[in-house]
Amino acid sequence: DAGVIQSPRHEVTEMGQEVTLRCKPISGHDYLFWYRQTMMRGLELLIYFNNNVPIDDSGMPEDRFSAKMPNASFSTLKIQPSEPRDSAVYFCASGWGGKYTFGSGTRLTVV
Amino acid sequence: DAKTTQPNSMESNEEEPVHLPCNHSTISGTDYIHWYRQLPSQGPEYVIHGLTSNVNNRMASLAIAEDRKSSTLILHRATLRDAAVYYCILTNAGKSTFGDGTTLTVKP
């Protein structure tokens, strides 16, 4: 079991550019979550999916953020256009039955 | 969303038991109590979860108050590798909200 795989591990981009974060959940897990972590705000739930369907996106900060899950083995979180305040560590997690496994995260820096 | 309250920090000596408290006075009947921990530069790691009854696994024990308004994570023998931020969260139909957690320091 390779766990939840996120890519890239680090991303540095210029303000205004589009950023796409990728996540491969653990096979068989029916829930997928996207979180963002900063020192100021801690861990924030952005959106989560159940069986590839978005259930709650109330944590998505604004329309610049979008997430998709085209199939059970892949999800993306896109920021367009990116801003310096989007700098954070973004985590993807998957799970079932209440037990969730987190990926190693993508550290995003927007300059 | 129901909230949890945890102490900001706690200290323990190595090989001694640690009791990490969590208050969740607004918990609903269908909320599960989860504990995760986060080591430096890593994603959160699942520790244990329960609904009403006390739970044990290889990592820890979870003691849940009878009224479910509080719970305690018990590490039976703390090691230096247990130093982390411990989060107590409530989950309902998949949705969960992380608080600030408790930073556990383990002294040799």
Side-chain angles (χ1 to χ4, degrees), chain A residues 18-96:
Chain A
E18 176 180 297
V19 176
T20 299
L21 311 181
R22 296 172 175 79
C23 175
K24 177 178 170 57
I26 293 173
S27 177
H29 285 185
D30 54 6
Y31 281 94
L32 184 138
F33 305 83
W34 282 100
Y35 285 88
R36 175 172 71 174
Q37 187 172 35
T38 61
M39 289 293 293
M40 291 292 294
R41 302 174 67 91
L43 270 164
E44 302 173 274
L45 176 63
L46 301 178
I47 184 172
Y48 76 98
F49 297 82
N50 181 222
N51 293 320
N52 313 337
V53 177
I55 303 300
D56 188 334
D57 65 355
S58 60
M60 297 285 260
E62 47 198 277
D63 292 345
R64 298 184 297 107
F65 286 69
S66 63
K68 294 182 179 179
M69 192 166 185
N71 56 62
S73 58
F74 185 65
S75 177
T76 59
L77 177 67
K78 185 178 294 186
I79 308 172
Q80 165 63 20
S82 57
E83 296 182 3
R85 59 192 168 127
D86 301 331
S87 297
V89 180
Y90 290 80
F91 289 105
C92 174
S94 72
W96 67 277

Side-chain angles (χ1 to χ4, degrees), chain B residues 55-69:
Chain B
V55 185
N56 299 295
N57 66 22
R58 63 175 182 81
M59 290 182 69
S61 296
L62 176 60
I64 301 173
E66 194 170 337
D67 63 5
R68 300 207 327 125
K69 293 185 176 182

Side-chain angles (χ1 to χ4, degrees), chain B residues 11-80:
Chain B
E11 282 189 356
S12 172
N13 293 318
E14 196 175 11
E15 298 193 2
E16 290 187 355
V18 181
H19 291 232
L20 297 166
C22 181
N23 288 319
H24 28 79
S25 57
T26 59
I27 190 171
S28 73
T30 55
D31 284 335
Y32 280 79
I33 302 160
H34 281 77
W35 283 82
Y36 285 79
R37 70 180 186 182
Q38 187 172 22
L39 280 64
S41 301
Q42 295 187 24
E45 174 189 28
Y46 170 85
V47 177
I48 200 167
H49 79 283
L51 183 62
T52 56
S53 302
N54 295 343
V55 185
N56 299 295
N57 66 22
R58 63 175 182 81
M59 290 182 69
S61 296
L62 176 60
I64 301 173
E66 194 170 337
D67 63 5
R68 300 207 327 125
K69 293 185 176 182
S70 66
S71 61
T72 302
L73 178 71
I74 303 165
L75 306 179
H76 296 287
R77 290 182 63 198
T79 70
L80 297 179

